[in-house]
Amino acid sequence: MKQPEIDYRAVFQALPGAVALLTPELYFADANEEWLRVVKRSRADVIGHYMPDDYADRPNHPNAAVARNIGESLRRVVRTGRAETMELQRFDPPDDFPSTVRPRAVEERFWSMTNIPVPGADGRVALLLHRVAEVTELIQARAVALSLQEAMLPAPRTVGRHPVAVRYRPAVRALEVGGDWYDLVELPDGRLAVAVGDVVGHGLSAATVMGQLRSALSAASRSCGGPARALETLELYADSVVGAENTTVASALIDWDARHITYSVAGHLPPALLRGDGTVEFLDRATDPPLGARCEPGPWPQATVPFTEGALLVLYTDGLIERRNEDIDTGLSRLAAALTRHHGAGGGAEALADALSADLLPAAGADDDTALVVVPL
């Protein structure tokens, strides 16, 4: 069968995305119709144009920084010969768009950009393929999910006998929120129930399931007489909630008068007890699989550990310590080392929560949501 002759220019123009070709010197060599439509420019205005000239006469315009970011990324691709997906870029609306009639929906637009080297016959970069895709609606949807998630979580406040520090950090690279949560319940007798959990999945559905399970556990903690019974009740409820399977939870009950912590864990990372002498104990003697993952229903395990004044209890979700291609024990050791290092530094629970976030979360943000609760004992 005779192979058809391929018109690569026609293929380039028919690409479903917005794509432009540039020389290694960053001059536009070509652009498909979709790219021209997106940037609202004509072919005559683009071809042969030097990309860094964009906003060169307006260096203080917000979009000038975006133009510089694009240029820097393209130059790196030329130097390294490797494709690069840029961080999301935000563009402000054009200066000539009347602000008096400008709807909020066009106040800012978000774009995902990928720069790909095209090698020549000698193996060196001959062209740069610059692809852009608008992701504004995804970002707006993520903002809605984050607002919903934050509305479902209890506001930081003083509970029990000491002020508790809480932190919630959404993943920065994902376009969807996760299902991490925390809960604090002060019981009538003065004891404090504290829990963290993580729903499998992301997006509005995970946030909705998170809200249902957090509310159910909060109610169970008030009426079931301990963490194990509360998790039994939660598992029964989770069986009727689509998307709740394999949720992990760590639940603890602090008795200030008896000076002990009773805890039970459903497939979650173990709470950490930072003792007054700086040693760290992971509470891992009462752990079962995640909700809905046990082979047979039955009582949940429960254990009790004593504490002395000056200790701190730390509950967290996996975003704080887990890293790709790394054993979980490495992350736990890193957490223990950070707790010991900051022991006795002063500032109480709030200072420790800030220190752990600074030490353990990547500077550019974590790939997963993170919930952190620090309870001074």
Side-chain angles (χ1 to χ4, degrees):
M1 177 180 176
K2 182 179 179 181
Q3 294 294 323
E5 188 172 328
I6 299 175
D7 185 342
Y8 286 99
R9 181 172 182 79
V11 172
F12 176 74
Q13 289 298 329
L15 289 173
V19 180
L21 286 174
L22 296 97
T23 68
E25 295 76 29
L26 306 192
Y27 285 89
F28 283 100
D30 203 351
N32 68 0
E33 293 301 322
E34 179 64 10
W35 194 89
L36 296 173
R37 184 193 69 78
V38 165
V39 301
K40 296 179 174 59
R41 297 170 72 178
S42 69
R43 182 172 297 278
D45 292 334
V46 172
I47 306 306
H49 174 76
Y50 183 50
M51 176 180 271
D53 281 346
D54 290 343
Y55 297 98
D57 58 339
R58 292 170 291 170
N60 295 323
H61 191 284
N63 292 348
V66 178
R68 289 193 293 270
N69 292 341
I70 297 171
E72 291 169 1
S73 174
L74 289 166
R75 292 186 183 95
R76 281 195 298 271
V77 173
V78 173
R79 290 196 305 270
T80 66
R82 295 193 298 269
E84 180 172 300
T85 298
M86 299 177 60
E87 297 284 346
L88 294 184
Q89 301 294 311
R90 189 191 79 181
F91 279 90
D92 285 349
D95 293 335
D96 57 359
F97 199 103
S99 59
T100 55
V101 299
R102 181 167 56 203
R104 180 171 294 275
V106 298
E107 284 294 332
E108 56 186 18
R109 315 300 291 178
F110 293 87
W111 299 86
S112 173
M113 302 184 184
T114 304
N115 299 315
I116 302 170
V118 180
D122 59 0
R124 300 168 62 184
V125 176
L127 289 170
L128 295 161
L129 191 149
H130 175 62
R131 182 182 183 277
V132 301
E134 186 173 3
V135 294
T136 304
E137 291 186 1
L138 291 174
I139 294 297
Q140 290 172 342
R142 181 176 189 262
V144 170
L146 277 173
S147 298
L148 172 64
Q149 191 173 35
E150 290 173 358
M152 291 178 177
L153 295 175
R157 66 190 191 281
T158 299
V159 292
R161 299 185 179 182
H162 302 281
V164 176
V166 298
R167 300 290 185 271
Y168 178 80
R169 300 285 178 85
V172 296
R173 296 181 183 274
L175 294 178
E176 296 183 314
V177 297
D180 294 25
W181 91 82
Y182 63 87
D183 195 35
L184 303 166
V185 178
E186 188 172 8
L187 301 179
D189 59 5
R191 293 180 299 167
L192 176 67
V194 55
V196 294
D198 189 358
V199 173
V200 175
H202 295 84
L204 285 171
S205 60
T208 302
V209 172
M210 175 273 288
Q212 293 176 278
L213 295 183
R214 190 198 70 80
S215 297
L217 181 59
S218 185
S221 297
R222 287 174 164 86
S223 60
C224 290
R229 292 294 302 277
L231 288 184
E232 285 181 47
T233 302
L234 181 64
E235 185 173 48
L236 289 173
Y237 175 75
D239 287 342
S240 65
V241 178
V242 176
E245 59 275 5
N246 292 315
T247 293
T248 66
V249 186
S251 179
L253 181 63
I254 302 170
D255 190 320
W256 310 99
D257 294 331
R259 291 193 177 276
H260 66 231
I261 302 166
T262 303
Y263 66 93
S264 186
V265 178
H268 201 83
L269 293 165
L273 178 60
L274 175 60
R275 297 193 179 277
D277 61 0
T279 59
V280 176
E281 178 182 354
F282 286 107
L283 308 187
D284 57 3
R285 293 187 289 111
T287 300
D288 253 14
L291 299 183
R294 298 192 298 171
C295 295
E296 296 181 1
W300 282 86
Q302 183 170 285
T304 299
V305 60
F307 67 83
T308 56
E309 188 173 356
L312 295 106
L313 178 66
V314 179
L315 295 91
Y316 52 95
T317 57
D318 54 7
L320 185 70
I321 67 166
E322 286 190 355
R323 301 293 178 264
R324 293 178 182 175
N325 304 317
E326 184 179 87
D327 187 271
I328 189 64
D329 288 338
T330 301
L332 291 172
S333 297
R334 187 165 51 239
L335 171 59
L339 287 169
T340 299
R341 183 166 57 253
H342 294 291
H343 170 258
E350 291 291 338
L352 181 61
D354 287 338
L356 292 177
S357 298
D359 280 9
L360 302 179
L361 293 177
D367 291 331
D368 196 6
D369 290 12
T370 300
L372 170 66
V373 181
V374 180
V375 185
L377 301 173

